[in-house]
mmCIF file of all heavy atoms in Angstrom:
data_model
loop_
_atom_site.group_PDB
_atom_site.id
_atom_site.type_symbol
_atom_site.label_atom_id
_atom_site.label_comp_id
_atom_site.label_asym_id
_atom_site.label_seq_id
_atom_site.Cartn_x
_atom_site.Cartn_y
_atom_site.Cartn_z
ATOM 1 N N ALA A 51 88.683 -6.856 -6.447
ATOM 2 C CA ALA A 51 88.783 -7.497 -5.123
ATOM 3 C C ALA A 51 88.298 -6.550 -4.023
ATOM 4 O O ALA A 51 88.230 -6.944 -2.863
ATOM 5 C CB ALA A 51 90.224 -7.918 -4.854
ATOM 6 N N GLY A 52 87.962 -5.318 -4.393
ATOM 7 C CA GLY A 52 87.399 -4.381 -3.431
ATOM 8 C C GLY A 52 88.348 -3.324 -2.900
ATOM 9 O O GLY A 52 87.943 -2.485 -2.102
ATOM 10 N N PHE A 53 89.602 -3.347 -3.321
ATOM 11 C CA PHE A 53 90.549 -2.337 -2.860
ATOM 12 C C PHE A 53 90.305 -1.005 -3.573
ATOM 13 O O PHE A 53 89.848 -0.982 -4.708
ATOM 14 C CB PHE A 53 91.992 -2.782 -3.116
ATOM 15 C CG PHE A 53 92.414 -3.966 -2.297
ATOM 16 C CD1 PHE A 53 92.463 -5.231 -2.859
ATOM 17 C CD2 PHE A 53 92.765 -3.816 -0.965
ATOM 18 C CE1 PHE A 53 92.852 -6.330 -2.112
ATOM 19 C CE2 PHE A 53 93.162 -4.909 -0.207
ATOM 20 C CZ PHE A 53 93.202 -6.163 -0.781
ATOM 21 N N HIS A 54 90.636 0.088 -2.914
ATOM 22 C CA HIS A 54 90.558 1.418 -3.505
ATOM 23 C C HIS A 54 91.945 1.708 -4.073
ATOM 24 O O HIS A 54 92.903 1.873 -3.311
ATOM 25 C CB HIS A 54 90.180 2.425 -2.426
ATOM 26 C CG HIS A 54 89.852 3.774 -2.949
ATOM 27 N ND1 HIS A 54 88.999 4.613 -2.309
ATOM 28 C CD2 HIS A 54 90.254 4.442 -4.051
ATOM 29 C CE1 HIS A 54 88.893 5.737 -2.988
ATOM 30 N NE2 HIS A 54 89.655 5.655 -4.046
ATOM 31 N N THR A 55 92.063 1.767 -5.398
ATOM 32 C CA THR A 55 93.379 1.885 -6.023
ATOM 33 C C THR A 55 93.671 3.301 -6.497
ATOM 34 O O THR A 55 92.778 4.048 -6.887
ATOM 35 C CB THR A 55 93.529 0.923 -7.219
ATOM 36 O OG1 THR A 55 92.562 1.239 -8.211
ATOM 37 C CG2 THR A 55 93.385 -0.517 -6.783
ATOM 38 N N PHE A 56 94.935 3.632 -6.462
ATOM 39 C CA PHE A 56 95.474 4.881 -6.973
ATOM 40 C C PHE A 56 96.684 4.485 -7.811
ATOM 41 O O PHE A 56 97.246 3.416 -7.613
ATOM 42 C CB PHE A 56 95.918 5.788 -5.828
ATOM 43 C CG PHE A 56 94.788 6.163 -4.911
ATOM 44 C CD1 PHE A 56 94.413 5.318 -3.876
ATOM 45 C CD2 PHE A 56 94.098 7.349 -5.094
ATOM 46 C CE1 PHE A 56 93.373 5.649 -3.032
ATOM 47 C CE2 PHE A 56 93.050 7.688 -4.255
ATOM 48 C CZ PHE A 56 92.681 6.840 -3.227
ATOM 49 N N ASN A 57 97.101 5.334 -8.753
ATOM 50 C CA ASN A 57 98.247 4.940 -9.557
ATOM 51 C C ASN A 57 99.209 6.085 -9.811
ATOM 52 O O ASN A 57 98.877 7.251 -9.617
ATOM 53 C CB ASN A 57 97.798 4.295 -10.872
ATOM 54 C CG ASN A 57 97.036 5.244 -11.758
ATOM 55 O OD1 ASN A 57 97.567 6.266 -12.163
ATOM 56 N ND2 ASN A 57 95.798 4.928 -12.061
ATOM 57 N N ALA A 58 100.394 5.700 -10.225
ATOM 58 C CA ALA A 58 101.451 6.614 -10.631
ATOM 59 C C ALA A 58 102.210 5.923 -11.759
ATOM 60 O O ALA A 58 102.333 4.703 -11.758
ATOM 61 C CB ALA A 58 102.372 6.920 -9.459
ATOM 62 N N ARG A 59 102.709 6.711 -12.702
ATOM 63 C CA ARG A 59 103.353 6.140 -13.888
ATOM 64 C C ARG A 59 104.879 6.183 -13.880
ATOM 65 O O ARG A 59 105.507 5.721 -14.814
ATOM 66 C CB ARG A 59 102.814 6.806 -15.142
ATOM 67 C CG ARG A 59 101.335 6.525 -15.316
ATOM 68 C CD ARG A 59 100.827 7.052 -16.644
ATOM 69 N NE ARG A 59 99.397 6.882 -16.735
ATOM 70 C CZ ARG A 59 98.795 5.808 -17.220
ATOM 71 N NH1 ARG A 59 99.513 4.796 -17.653
ATOM 72 N NH2 ARG A 59 97.488 5.735 -17.278
ATOM 73 N N ASP A 60 105.471 6.749 -12.856
ATOM 74 C CA ASP A 60 106.930 6.689 -12.701
ATOM 75 C C ASP A 60 107.267 6.903 -11.230
ATOM 76 O O ASP A 60 106.380 7.184 -10.414
ATOM 77 C CB ASP A 60 107.650 7.695 -13.610
ATOM 78 C CG ASP A 60 107.397 9.146 -13.269
ATOM 79 O OD1 ASP A 60 107.474 9.517 -12.074
ATOM 80 O OD2 ASP A 60 107.137 9.940 -14.195
ATOM 81 N N GLY A 61 108.534 6.782 -10.917
ATOM 82 C CA GLY A 61 108.949 6.845 -9.526
ATOM 83 C C GLY A 61 108.720 8.186 -8.853
ATOM 84 O O GLY A 61 108.319 8.241 -7.693
ATOM 85 N N TYR A 62 108.981 9.284 -9.562
ATOM 86 C CA TYR A 62 108.756 10.603 -8.963
ATOM 87 C C TYR A 62 107.285 10.817 -8.646
ATOM 88 O O TYR A 62 106.928 11.304 -7.578
ATOM 89 C CB TYR A 62 109.265 11.718 -9.882
ATOM 90 C CG TYR A 62 110.763 11.813 -9.931
ATOM 91 C CD1 TYR A 62 111.454 11.577 -11.114
ATOM 92 C CD2 TYR A 62 111.496 12.142 -8.793
ATOM 93 C CE1 TYR A 62 112.838 11.654 -11.166
ATOM 94 C CE2 TYR A 62 112.885 12.220 -8.834
ATOM 95 C CZ TYR A 62 113.545 11.980 -10.027
ATOM 96 O OH TYR A 62 114.908 12.052 -10.063
ATOM 97 N N GLU A 63 106.426 10.435 -9.584
ATOM 98 C CA GLU A 63 104.988 10.548 -9.355
ATOM 99 C C GLU A 63 104.572 9.624 -8.198
ATOM 100 O O GLU A 63 103.726 9.977 -7.384
ATOM 101 C CB GLU A 63 104.222 10.187 -10.629
ATOM 102 C CG GLU A 63 102.751 10.480 -10.560
ATOM 103 C CD GLU A 63 102.009 10.145 -11.853
ATOM 104 O OE1 GLU A 63 102.615 10.145 -12.948
ATOM 105 O OE2 GLU A 63 100.795 9.860 -11.750
ATOM 106 N N GLY A 64 105.203 8.457 -8.126
ATOM 107 C CA GLY A 64 104.908 7.516 -7.051
ATOM 108 C C GLY A 64 105.219 8.091 -5.682
ATOM 109 O O GLY A 64 104.418 7.966 -4.751
ATOM 110 N N LEU A 65 106.378 8.736 -5.543
ATOM 111 C CA LEU A 65 106.736 9.341 -4.256
ATOM 112 C C LEU A 65 105.761 10.454 -3.883
ATOM 113 O O LEU A 65 105.352 10.571 -2.730
ATOM 114 C CB LEU A 65 108.168 9.881 -4.293
ATOM 115 C CG LEU A 65 109.279 8.838 -4.197
ATOM 116 C CD1 LEU A 65 110.648 9.487 -4.414
ATOM 117 C CD2 LEU A 65 109.244 8.115 -2.862
ATOM 118 N N ALA A 66 105.368 11.260 -4.868
ATOM 119 C CA ALA A 66 104.407 12.331 -4.602
ATOM 120 C C ALA A 66 103.050 11.762 -4.190
ATOM 121 O O ALA A 66 102.421 12.233 -3.240
ATOM 122 C CB ALA A 66 104.252 13.221 -5.840
ATOM 123 N N ARG A 67 102.610 10.697 -4.882
ATOM 124 C CA ARG A 67 101.316 10.090 -4.577
ATOM 125 C C ARG A 67 101.324 9.420 -3.198
ATOM 126 O O ARG A 67 100.294 9.382 -2.533
ATOM 127 C CB ARG A 67 100.922 9.075 -5.653
ATOM 128 C CG ARG A 67 100.699 9.627 -7.036
ATOM 129 C CD ARG A 67 99.437 10.408 -7.139
ATOM 130 N NE ARG A 67 98.305 9.509 -6.991
ATOM 131 C CZ ARG A 67 97.061 9.842 -7.210
ATOM 132 N NH1 ARG A 67 96.756 11.037 -7.608
ATOM 133 N NH2 ARG A 67 96.091 8.985 -7.030
ATOM 134 N N LEU A 68 102.462 8.887 -2.784
ATOM 135 C CA LEU A 68 102.556 8.288 -1.448
ATOM 136 C C LEU A 68 102.169 9.305 -0.380
ATOM 137 O O LEU A 68 101.455 8.988 0.556
ATOM 138 C CB LEU A 68 103.980 7.789 -1.170
ATOM 139 C CG LEU A 68 104.329 6.407 -1.669
ATOM 140 C CD1 LEU A 68 105.826 6.176 -1.579
ATOM 141 C CD2 LEU A 68 103.568 5.343 -0.910
ATOM 142 N N LYS A 69 102.655 10.536 -0.537
ATOM 143 C CA LYS A 69 102.359 11.583 0.443
ATOM 144 C C LYS A 69 100.895 12.023 0.356
ATOM 145 O O LYS A 69 100.272 12.287 1.368
ATOM 146 C CB LYS A 69 103.276 12.773 0.224
ATOM 147 C CG LYS A 69 104.729 12.476 0.549
ATOM 148 C CD LYS A 69 105.556 13.729 0.407
ATOM 149 C CE LYS A 69 106.860 13.436 -0.273
ATOM 150 N NZ LYS A 69 107.607 14.620 -0.611
ATOM 151 N N GLU A 70 100.349 12.090 -0.870
ATOM 152 C CA GLU A 70 98.959 12.536 -1.080
ATOM 153 C C GLU A 70 97.944 11.525 -0.578
ATOM 154 O O GLU A 70 96.964 11.879 0.062
ATOM 155 C CB GLU A 70 98.675 12.731 -2.577
ATOM 156 C CG GLU A 70 99.362 13.853 -3.252
ATOM 157 C CD GLU A 70 99.183 13.779 -4.764
ATOM 158 O OE1 GLU A 70 98.283 13.054 -5.258
ATOM 159 O OE2 GLU A 70 99.952 14.450 -5.464
ATOM 160 N N VAL A 71 98.153 10.267 -0.922
ATOM 161 C CA VAL A 71 97.159 9.219 -0.751
ATOM 162 C C VAL A 71 97.244 8.503 0.599
ATOM 163 O O VAL A 71 96.242 8.023 1.107
ATOM 164 C CB VAL A 71 97.290 8.189 -1.907
ATOM 165 C CG1 VAL A 71 96.384 7.005 -1.715
ATOM 166 C CG2 VAL A 71 97.037 8.855 -3.247
ATOM 167 N N SER A 72 98.438 8.412 1.173
ATOM 168 C CA SER A 72 98.671 7.637 2.400
ATOM 169 C C SER A 72 98.101 6.223 2.279
ATOM 170 O O SER A 72 97.218 5.829 3.030
ATOM 171 C CB SER A 72 98.061 8.344 3.615
ATOM 172 O OG SER A 72 98.665 9.577 3.822
ATOM 173 N N PRO A 73 98.605 5.447 1.311
ATOM 174 C CA PRO A 73 98.066 4.104 1.100
ATOM 175 C C PRO A 73 98.461 3.134 2.212
ATOM 176 O O PRO A 73 99.444 3.349 2.920
ATOM 177 C CB PRO A 73 98.701 3.683 -0.225
ATOM 178 C CG PRO A 73 100.015 4.409 -0.238
ATOM 179 C CD PRO A 73 99.740 5.729 0.435
ATOM 180 N N ALA A 74 97.678 2.055 2.310
ATOM 181 C CA ALA A 74 97.993 0.980 3.254
ATOM 182 C C ALA A 74 99.118 0.114 2.717
ATOM 183 O O ALA A 74 99.844 -0.518 3.482
ATOM 184 C CB ALA A 74 96.761 0.128 3.510
ATOM 185 N N ALA A 75 99.258 0.065 1.389
ATOM 186 C CA ALA A 75 100.302 -0.733 0.745
ATOM 187 C C ALA A 75 100.551 -0.183 -0.653
ATOM 188 O O ALA A 75 99.749 0.578 -1.194
ATOM 189 C CB ALA A 75 99.893 -2.204 0.672
ATOM 190 N N MET A 76 101.669 -0.612 -1.236
ATOM 191 C CA MET A 76 102.026 -0.177 -2.584
ATOM 192 C C MET A 76 102.523 -1.368 -3.390
ATOM 193 O O MET A 76 103.220 -2.241 -2.875
ATOM 194 C CB MET A 76 103.133 0.887 -2.505
ATOM 195 C CG MET A 76 103.622 1.346 -3.864
ATOM 196 S SD MET A 76 104.751 2.768 -3.790
ATOM 197 C CE MET A 76 106.081 2.148 -2.792
ATOM 198 N N VAL A 77 102.154 -1.379 -4.683
ATOM 199 C CA VAL A 77 102.685 -2.331 -5.653
ATOM 200 C C VAL A 77 103.613 -1.510 -6.540
ATOM 201 O O VAL A 77 103.193 -0.507 -7.126
ATOM 202 C CB VAL A 77 101.562 -2.988 -6.485
ATOM 203 C CG1 VAL A 77 102.154 -3.926 -7.529
ATOM 204 C CG2 VAL A 77 100.596 -3.737 -5.573
ATOM 205 N N LEU A 78 104.878 -1.905 -6.643
ATOM 206 C CA LEU A 78 105.918 -1.089 -7.260
ATOM 207 C C LEU A 78 106.697 -1.856 -8.319
ATOM 208 O O LEU A 78 107.248 -2.916 -8.038
ATOM 209 C CB LEU A 78 106.880 -0.605 -6.162
ATOM 210 C CG LEU A 78 108.089 0.209 -6.565
ATOM 211 C CD1 LEU A 78 107.671 1.568 -7.121
ATOM 212 C CD2 LEU A 78 109.015 0.391 -5.361
ATOM 213 N N ASP A 79 106.763 -1.275 -9.520
ATOM 214 C CA ASP A 79 107.611 -1.817 -10.584
ATOM 215 C C ASP A 79 109.036 -1.318 -10.354
ATOM 216 O O ASP A 79 109.252 -0.307 -9.684
ATOM 217 C CB ASP A 79 107.087 -1.348 -11.947
ATOM 218 C CG ASP A 79 107.804 -1.988 -13.121
ATOM 219 O OD1 ASP A 79 108.443 -3.055 -12.951
ATOM 220 O OD2 ASP A 79 107.726 -1.433 -14.230
ATOM 221 N N ILE A 80 110.018 -2.013 -10.918
ATOM 222 C CA ILE A 80 111.405 -1.564 -10.816
ATOM 223 C C ILE A 80 111.801 -0.766 -12.047
ATOM 224 O O ILE A 80 112.309 0.338 -11.944
ATOM 225 C CB ILE A 80 112.380 -2.765 -10.631
ATOM 226 C CG1 ILE A 80 112.141 -3.434 -9.279
ATOM 227 C CG2 ILE A 80 113.835 -2.316 -10.766
ATOM 228 C CD1 ILE A 80 112.453 -2.598 -8.073
ATOM 229 N N ASN A 81 111.577 -1.308 -13.251
ATOM 230 C CA ASN A 81 112.004 -0.651 -14.481
ATOM 231 C C ASN A 81 111.013 0.428 -14.889
ATOM 232 O O ASN A 81 109.971 0.138 -15.473
ATOM 233 C CB ASN A 81 112.126 -1.681 -15.618
ATOM 234 C CG ASN A 81 113.214 -2.687 -15.353
ATOM 235 O OD1 ASN A 81 114.233 -2.367 -14.780
ATOM 236 N ND2 ASN A 81 112.983 -3.913 -15.764
ATOM 237 N N MET A 82 111.349 1.679 -14.556
ATOM 238 C CA MET A 82 110.490 2.812 -14.903
ATOM 239 C C MET A 82 111.371 3.981 -15.333
ATOM 240 O O MET A 82 112.526 4.069 -14.910
ATOM 241 C CB MET A 82 109.634 3.233 -13.698
ATOM 242 C CG MET A 82 108.610 2.216 -13.272
ATOM 243 S SD MET A 82 107.584 2.825 -11.924
ATOM 244 C CE MET A 82 108.755 2.942 -10.578
ATOM 245 N N PRO A 83 110.805 4.886 -16.126
ATOM 246 C CA PRO A 83 111.578 6.067 -16.533
ATOM 247 C C PRO A 83 111.733 7.047 -15.376
ATOM 248 O O PRO A 83 111.012 6.963 -14.379
ATOM 249 C CB PRO A 83 110.717 6.668 -17.647
ATOM 250 C CG PRO A 83 109.323 6.225 -17.341
ATOM 251 C CD PRO A 83 109.468 4.864 -16.712
ATOM 252 N N ARG A 84 112.669 7.946 -15.543
ATOM 253 C CA ARG A 84 112.962 9.043 -14.599
ATOM 254 C C ARG A 84 113.483 8.547 -13.261
ATOM 255 O O ARG A 84 114.605 8.839 -12.909
ATOM 256 C CB ARG A 84 111.763 9.970 -14.408
ATOM 257 C CG ARG A 84 111.325 10.631 -15.690
ATOM 258 C CD ARG A 84 110.382 11.808 -15.561
ATOM 259 N NE ARG A 84 109.401 11.728 -14.514
ATOM 260 C CZ ARG A 84 109.037 12.772 -13.769
ATOM 261 N NH1 ARG A 84 109.585 13.948 -13.960
ATOM 262 N NH2 ARG A 84 108.107 12.638 -12.844
#
Side-chain angles (χ1 to χ4, degrees):
F53 293 102
H54 190 152
T55 61
F56 299 84
N57 64 61
R59 296 187 185 270
D60 66 47
Y62 287 116
E63 189 179 334
L65 284 173
R67 296 288 292 190
L68 275 168
K69 292 184 222 171
E70 291 170 17
V71 174
S72 297
M76 177 172 59
V77 177
L78 177 67
D79 187 20
I80 293 295
N81 295 325
M82 293 184 293
R84 300 194 324 141

